[in-house]
Amino acid sequence: MTTPTVYTIDDDQAVRTALRSLLRTASRATEEYDSGRLFLDAADNDRPGCILADIRMPGMGGLELQQALNKRHSLRPIIFMSAQADVALAVKAMKAGAADFLEKPVDGDLLVNTVTYWLQHALETQQAHRGRMQNLEKMRRLTHREQEIMELLVEGKQNKQIASLLGISCRTVEAHRSKLMKKLGAKSLSEVVRIALDRAPM
């Protein structure tokens, strides 16, 4: 399993060094970038982790970075660090989807605890996303008729009701049901329902 990473983004080298020391002492994997643009150009978007970024930086600021990440459908939570004068800006960022913000000067224990929480959240989010994508791929293997029957099963319809609605025999419904369960890797109707409800958006 890939180790979740804390991506620290700050134009101040001293801040990056201090954050690296603190996070590595707490056994957290880190990567550092001196600008949001460099992070966007270099970071591997498939790796789980969270972003710890100064909200006010030269060039691309925190809100611009967040907008770029939103366009990429990034699953990584972003935690902003803000000076007292920038708290209103940080609140605006949270309303736009940021996970959290820490007011400078940041307490070390609070920072580590906040990062730990969001790293776990990021890992769980990525695993759930991967599962939904796998379910979507399974759905794509179904024929149109199998998809119809699956949707009716999810609605709670019995085989006889499905046969009547689709104008086919009960035996044909059973044959399609067996095939779709095999394609989905489902051993029970409850698994079919779970997979159908947990799929990624079409």
Side-chain angles (χ1 to χ4, degrees):
M1 183 183 296
T2 304
T3 302
T5 301
V6 182
Y7 300 90
T8 59
I9 308 171
D10 199 299
D11 60 295
D12 190 326
Q13 175 64 58
V15 171
R16 297 199 306 275
T17 300
L19 289 172
R20 180 204 314 144
S21 177
L22 176 64
L23 292 167
R24 290 187 178 175
T25 298
S27 300
R28 302 289 176 261
T30 66
E31 285 187 15
E32 303 157 42
Y33 301 89
D34 62 12
S35 72
R37 177 57 57 194
L38 183 61
F39 168 77
L40 291 172
D41 290 343
D44 179 357
N45 200 45
D46 291 331
R47 290 172 59 190
C50 70
I51 299 162
L52 183 62
D54 190 11
I55 200 162
R56 216 177 261 285
M57 294 180 285
M60 175 178 280
L63 290 178
E64 290 80 12
L65 171 62
Q66 184 178 2
Q67 289 170 358
L69 290 168
N70 288 344
K71 287 180 180 179
R72 294 185 180 192
H73 306 290
S74 172
L75 298 177
R76 295 180 182 134
I78 182 165
I79 305 162
F80 283 118
M81 296 175 291
S82 66
Q84 188 172 11
D86 293 328
V87 168
L89 189 61
V91 171
K92 183 178 180 180
M94 288 188 69
K95 289 180 179 178
D100 212 335
F101 77 89
L102 299 171
E103 190 175 348
K104 293 179 176 180
V106 181
D107 176 79
D109 289 339
L110 176 61
L111 185 144
V112 170
N113 289 338
T114 301
V115 163
T116 298
Y117 172 83
W118 287 110
L119 282 177
Q120 182 61 34
H121 183 275
L123 191 58
E124 292 170 358
T125 298
Q126 189 183 63
Q127 290 171 341
H129 178 72
R130 186 179 294 117
R132 287 192 295 272
M133 294 306 295
Q134 290 172 345
N135 287 339
L136 178 57
E137 185 57 36
K138 291 176 183 178
M139 297 289 181
R140 288 175 174 154
R141 299 173 192 159
L142 302 181
T143 65
H144 177 69
R145 178 65 85 189
E146 289 165 352
Q147 289 178 12
E148 285 183 316
I149 291 173
M150 179 195 68
E151 297 297 347
L152 291 169
L153 287 170
V154 170
E155 290 176 14
K157 298 290 192 294
Q158 301 296 318
N159 286 359
K160 288 183 180 180
Q161 294 172 298
I162 295 172
S164 176
L165 286 168
L166 298 180
I168 57 179
S169 70
C170 233
R171 181 170 294 181
T172 300
V173 171
E174 290 170 359
H176 283 304
R177 177 170 170 168
S178 176
K179 288 179 181 178
L180 75 86
M181 288 181 69
K182 185 175 182 180
K183 289 180 181 179
L184 295 177
K187 296 180 180 178
S188 66
L189 177 57
S190 63
E191 285 189 54
V192 172
V193 173
R194 180 185 58 76
I195 290 170
L197 296 178
D198 192 43
R199 60 188 158 178
M202 301 293 282

